[in-house]
Amino acid sequence: MDRRNFLKTGGALALAGGVLPGCRGAERAPRLNFREDRKMTLRWFPYELELAHTFTVSSYSRKTTPDVQVEIEYDGLVGYGEASMPPYLGHTVESVCSFLEKVDLSQFTDPTRIEDIMEYVGSLSEGDAPAKAAVDIALHDLVGKLLGLPLYRLFGYNPEKAGDTTYTIGIDTPEVVREKTLEAAGRFNILKVKVGLDADKEMIEAIRSVSDLPLAVDANQGWKDRSKALDEIFWLRDNGVVMVEQPMAKDRLDDIAWITERSPLPIFADESVQGLGDVLPLKGIFTGINIKLMKSGGLLNARKMIAVAEACGMKVMTGCMTETSCACSAVAALAPASSFQDIDGNLLITNDRFTGGVRVVSGRLTLPDLPGLGLSLK
Ligand code: MG
């Protein structure tokens, strides 16, 4: 029986905990056959993301995001991955492509050995988190397709717990902010506001003049004085804000710990937390961490970050960059493990390559019951 027929008949059942016809009990795990002569092929191409609105945070504005789309083909199946490179992180299309040139997946005959494969990919350089994330996401998508399971099932998560996603309202004039809020208010149950410039209160008041939805705020390191920041957090709490992201510069950890200790709202790290090694040192400094695949280097490390955060008694938030539905669907598979979700990157672009994957229905993240990321090419 070849792999596909095996999966169609008893294989998927057996993997999900059932028993193969003809087997007594579960004495031996059923095997997928990974033949030596089947190789993984990695390919990639640049894909510039076009943003629906000019994106402004406390430090810059932009209208496009550089991106590289990645595919891993194996035995007639294709796993999709993606590297998105917001300019402030210092990665470029060139740096991602030159990293991917170094990756030789032909030495692996079993794509399900994600730990081994990503250990090798990780060893190829010190940084390059977006390029590593692209390989990791494509590999997970491929393995989900090989096993016939959505990623959240592979991870053991309940998709009903994926929760609401925030939708970001960028910094703008009060008129535009009101317009964007009205546009979003019917479709989302929580909005996210970029603060950290002088006009924070005007932004919130503009939103409050047209909507009473709960708000998350992201200061993107913009607040300079901890006492003023704390005063503002109390004011924000009184105006329906439920969480605060990255109040001050990423290395001002003493000031941030001071704020967190006194804050009526949970304080989440974003710029202060990049990869797995950053989580433990933030215990006691932030209430929680914002995990994004372009920072963590992919799903495997993101899941390890969740485990460390939970062990430290910290909360987890899942987030994204501007990305297509590919990377957004990948991080959405982790949403059931997070207490805030900020997975709207695919909704902010006008040239998504994919249909399917994660969708927002009545403000809630809805994960498809389809293998891997559940994506189709447009
Ligand atoms: Mg942020």
Side-chain angles (χ1 to χ4, degrees):
M1 185 188 293
D2 70 17
R3 178 179 49 74
R4 274 163 218 236
N5 286 332
F6 162 84
L7 281 171
K8 268 187 211 143
T9 55
L13 173 68
L15 285 165
V19 178
L20 268 182
C23 287
R24 285 185 300 113
E27 288 156 2
R28 196 167 69 81
R31 287 190 190 283
L32 297 167
N33 280 323
F34 295 106
R35 292 186 352 217
E36 296 284 320
D37 59 343
R38 286 191 189 129
K39 303 283 186 206
M40 282 182 275
T41 312
L42 176 69
R43 52 178 182 254
W44 62 89
F45 57 93
Y47 189 79
E48 187 167 72
L49 305 179
E50 291 156 15
L51 308 184
H53 297 281
T54 302
F55 189 73
T56 302
V57 298
S58 62
S59 49
Y60 65 92
S61 294
R62 67 173 198 273
K63 191 78 189 6
T64 61
T65 300
D67 185 279
V68 173
Q69 294 285 312
V70 166
E71 300 178 355
I72 300 177
E73 187 165 347
Y74 177 85
D75 193 23
L77 294 172
V78 177
Y80 296 108
E82 168 175 28
S84 167
M85 290 85 68
Y88 64 91
L89 292 176
H91 305 283
T92 61
V93 167
E94 292 68 33
S95 71
V96 169
C97 293
S98 87
F99 178 85
L100 294 171
E101 290 284 353
K102 292 189 260 182
V103 179
D104 173 18
L105 295 183
S106 69
Q107 61 191 293
F108 299 99
T109 55
D110 180 349
T112 66
R113 295 192 183 169
I114 295 174
E115 281 271 2
D116 288 357
I117 297 168
M118 289 313 299
E119 187 182 343
Y120 154 74
V121 171
S123 74
L124 294 174
S125 75
E126 272 299 309
D128 295 302
K132 290 171 183 172
V135 177
D136 167 285
I137 294 167
L139 195 55
H140 277 86
D141 186 32
L142 175 66
V143 169
K145 285 171 175 164
L146 282 164
L147 299 178
L149 293 174
L151 292 190
Y152 60 83
R153 283 193 201 279
L154 278 177
F155 300 155
Y157 291 135
N158 176 357
E160 304 291 321
K161 293 182 177 168
D164 292 329
T165 180
T166 52
Y167 180 79
T168 299
I169 308 286
I171 293 171
D172 219 314
T173 61
E175 299 74 57
V176 177
V177 166
R178 272 195 289 275
E179 194 184 306
K180 284 184 185 171
T181 304
L182 284 171
E183 230 176 77
R187 298 187 291 139
F188 297 90
N189 304 318
I190 177 167
L191 301 177
K192 177 166 159 178
V193 187
K194 297 289 191 179
V195 294
L197 294 179
D198 294 335
D200 292 359
K201 289 192 179 177
E202 286 86 334
M203 277 279 295
I204 301 290
E205 281 162 356
I207 291 170
R208 279 288 166 259
S209 70
V210 292
S211 167
D212 57 4
L213 283 178
L215 303 175
V217 300
D218 188 351
N220 286 111
Q221 317 184 71
W223 292 331
K224 307 296 178 213
D225 178 282
R226 69 182 190 183
S227 298
K228 276 192 200 162
L230 186 64
D231 288 346
E232 181 160 342
I233 290 169
F234 275 96
W235 182 87
L236 290 167
R237 190 268 316 263
D238 293 341
N239 283 274
V241 172
V242 295
M243 66 90 77
V244 175
E245 206 177 315
Q246 198 68 44
M248 299 184 74
K250 60 185 177 185
D251 50 358
R252 288 183 61 181
L253 297 179
D254 290 345
D255 290 327
I256 293 171
W258 183 91
I259 291 172
T260 300
E261 205 186 332
R262 291 158 180 80
S263 170
L265 299 177
I267 308 290
F268 280 75
D270 186 5
E271 287 86 343
S272 291
V273 65
Q274 298 293 314
L276 179 59
D278 300 326
V279 183
L280 186 57
L282 296 180
K283 182 184 177 182
I285 295 171
F286 288 91
T287 319
I289 56 166
N290 185 349
I291 295 179
K292 299 177 179 173
L293 301 183
M294 297 306 137
K295 300 190 297 180
S296 71
L299 287 158
L300 183 66
N301 271 345
R303 295 181 67 212
K304 293 177 182 178
M305 290 170 77
I306 292 171
V308 174
E310 286 178 351
C312 291
M314 295 169 83
K315 293 179 189 296
V316 166
M317 165 180 180
T318 40
C320 60
M321 309 297 182
T322 39
E323 297 164 354
T324 69
S325 289
C326 176
C328 285
S329 299
V331 78
L334 305 177
S338 68
S339 40
F340 288 99
Q341 297 71 234
D342 182 26
I343 306 178
D344 62 352
N346 55 335
L347 308 176
L348 305 176
I349 63 170
T350 56
N351 60 338
D352 199 340
R353 272 186 86 207
F354 302 96
T355 57
V358 65
R359 289 185 310 131
V360 179
V361 180
S362 303
R364 290 184 69 78
L365 294 166
T366 306
L367 308 178
D369 193 7
L370 291 169
L373 299 170
L375 300 168
S376 305
L377 281 175
K378 266 186 185 165

